[in-house]
Amino acid sequence: MAEYPGQPQTPISQIGRNFVGGLATSLGQTRSELLSPDEKKLEKRREWLYSELKDRGETMDFYELLRNLGLPPVDEPFKENAPKLFQSLAECAPFLNKNKMAQTRMEGLTKPQPLGEFEGSDFFKAVNEKAITSYFQRLVDLMHDEAMRHNECSRKAAKHSQLVPEFVYRVADHQAKEVPRSGGHKMDVVFFYARQSMNINNVHIIVEAKLAGVGDPMDEKTFAQIADYQYCLWKKQRTRAFVPVFLVHGSQLDLVVFTRGRWYRMGLGPICHERQVMRTQDIKKVRLTMARLYYLITLPPESFGHICD
């Protein structure tokens, strides 16, 4: 049988009982009594996954990761059009830190920056993982709308060489409701293949959202959580070449890719502003992240993770 990530040969019984980072600080009698059988099983599995996978990772930059995964290079029309494609969204993107999400203003101006398409969004009411998840989903929808408007104008002008890829997946929020047939997993956001049933067998990309905090956002607990999600996908979709997971932590977006024996991580950049008084270079950073995100989520499944359907 081929080796799958998180399915190495070390028996669970041989893995240490203390899990650093707070997921399972102790498996003593008192704690054990508080856990249901399913919770004990989940905790043990995540301990095992963390122990087996923690030292198999590597950090790469965007283009290095594309090459290593055998993904198609970014084509010239997209490189040319992406800056103007997401300019307005980057200008209107809100400021976010661990305490609030709010409108920005340009340096030297007193008037707040218009929220544009983000106006009236519920993620301004509170800063929590639900708000960050809501913002990510709204951003994906708006990027799709911008790309559709651009392509419509390009077709009318007979500039077919300027067409950009179109988003074809279905996005669903599963923070409060488990993904069907996943064994109870509640993944924050899931990209499903188009025109197929919305269950774990047809999940394309996983998204996990966390609040901004001190230190590495992918701590032991978070790593074990997303490793458990990708392990579930490998068991259901054994023809995959790799499993992509987007990790949204505060204003930042990372891509974590699990292959059959290793995992790779890349910081895509900020998807909203890191300071309330922004500068031109801040808009460029957010715009670049949006372009990278849109490029990845418009890749066909046979390229981005799947050998065959």
Side-chain angles (χ1 to χ4, degrees), residues 161-304:
S161 63
Q162 295 187 12
L163 295 176
V164 298
E166 298 190 1
F167 180 73
V168 296
Y169 302 103
R170 291 182 292 174
V171 182
D173 187 326
H174 278 278
Q175 296 176 89
K177 183 174 70 172
E178 67 179 63
V179 179
R181 303 183 187 177
S182 69
H185 286 300
K186 295 179 181 178
M187 304 165 180
D188 286 343
V189 178
V190 173
F191 287 70
F192 289 101
Y193 302 124
R195 299 184 298 279
Q196 295 190 33
S197 301
M198 296 175 73
N199 59 51
I200 194 66
N201 297 315
N202 299 314
V203 170
H204 178 47
I205 303 170
I206 300 166
V207 182
E208 181 63 26
K210 299 294 182 186
L211 288 170
V214 179
D216 188 348
M218 197 165 74
D219 57 17
E220 290 91 340
K221 182 178 180 179
T222 300
F223 180 82
Q225 183 181 10
I226 64 175
D228 199 21
Y229 292 162
Q230 62 85 34
Y231 177 55
C232 178
L233 247 62
W234 281 108
K235 291 193 297 181
K236 300 292 185 178
Q237 302 179 29
R238 296 192 176 227
T239 60
R240 294 194 74 113
F242 55 84
V243 175
V245 180
F246 287 118
L247 174 62
V248 188
H249 50 101
S251 63
Q252 297 292 316
L253 178 65
D254 287 4
L255 172 65
V256 186
V257 174
F258 292 87
T259 66
R260 291 180 179 268
R262 296 187 58 79
W263 57 273
Y264 303 93
R265 181 181 177 186
M266 199 216 81
L268 290 167
I271 55 173
C272 44
H273 296 289
E274 300 172 277
R275 50 186 170 190
Q276 201 158 3
V277 180
M278 63 180 181
R279 302 169 184 170
T280 302
Q281 56 263 41
D282 298 322
I283 296 173
K284 289 181 178 179
K285 288 180 182 178
V286 173
R287 188 181 68 192
L288 176 61
T289 307
M290 291 178 181
R292 287 175 168 178
L293 171 61
Y294 190 77
Y295 172 75
L296 292 169
I297 63 177
T298 54
L299 288 172
E302 59 269 20
S303 295
F304 197 40

Side-chain angles (χ1 to χ4, degrees), residues 76-91:
E76 290 307 316
F78 188 80
K79 282 183 180 179
E80 179 184 343
N81 290 292
K84 57 186 177 185
L85 196 61
F86 303 123
Q87 177 69 26
S88 63
L89 288 181
E91 290 174 353

Side-chain angles (χ1 to χ4, degrees), residues 30-217:
T30 302
R31 177 174 175 80
S32 180
E33 290 174 352
L34 297 174
L35 299 176
S36 69
D38 285 345
E39 288 172 330
K40 290 177 185 177
K41 185 178 179 181
L42 172 68
E43 197 169 71
K44 273 194 167 186
R45 186 175 67 244
R46 290 188 177 181
E47 280 186 10
W48 170 55
L49 287 166
Y50 175 76
S51 177
E52 291 291 343
L53 296 176
K54 63 177 181 175
D55 297 323
R56 297 189 187 184
E58 188 175 347
T59 300
M60 294 184 173
D61 65 29
F62 183 68
Y63 291 103
E64 184 182 12
L65 187 63
L66 294 187
R67 288 193 299 271
N68 273 272
L69 296 177
L71 296 175
V74 181
D75 57 28
E76 290 307 316
F78 188 80
K79 282 183 180 179
E80 179 184 343
N81 290 292
K84 57 186 177 185
L85 196 61
F86 303 123
Q87 177 69 26
S88 63
L89 288 181
E91 290 174 353
C92 298
F95 158 76
L96 172 66
N97 66 11
K98 62 181 179 181
N99 298 314
K100 67 176 180 178
M101 182 178 280
Q103 284 177 270
T104 57
R105 64 178 176 85
M106 286 297 296
E107 188 176 42
L109 301 178
T110 56
K111 186 178 179 181
Q113 187 73 13
L115 287 170
E117 299 288 349
F118 295 109
E119 188 73 51
S121 299
D122 60 2
F123 42 73
F124 289 100
K125 296 176 182 177
V127 177
N128 50 34
E129 290 180 6
K130 182 178 179 180
I132 295 171
T133 301
S134 177
Y135 173 74
F136 179 85
Q137 290 179 271
R138 180 67 175 147
L139 178 60
V140 169
D141 289 341
L142 293 177
M143 289 194 300
H144 170 69
D145 293 345
E146 291 292 333
M148 294 306 97
R149 280 193 285 268
H150 168 83
N151 283 351
E152 184 179 358
C153 292
S154 297
R155 290 188 183 99
K156 287 180 178 178
K159 296 180 179 179
H160 299 286
S161 63
Q162 295 187 12
L163 295 176
V164 298
E166 298 190 1
F167 180 73
V168 296
Y169 302 103
R170 291 182 292 174
V171 182
D173 187 326
H174 278 278
Q175 296 176 89
K177 183 174 70 172
E178 67 179 63
V179 179
R181 303 183 187 177
S182 69
H185 286 300
K186 295 179 181 178
M187 304 165 180
D188 286 343
V189 178
V190 173
F191 287 70
F192 289 101
Y193 302 124
R195 299 184 298 279
Q196 295 190 33
S197 301
M198 296 175 73
N199 59 51
I200 194 66
N201 297 315
N202 299 314
V203 170
H204 178 47
I205 303 170
I206 300 166
V207 182
E208 181 63 26
K210 299 294 182 186
L211 288 170
V214 179
D216 188 348

Side-chain angles (χ1 to χ4, degrees), residues 12-26:
I12 291 178
S13 60
Q14 295 179 16
I15 292 177
R17 295 296 186 184
N18 293 322
F19 185 54
V20 181
L23 180 63
T25 55
S26 171

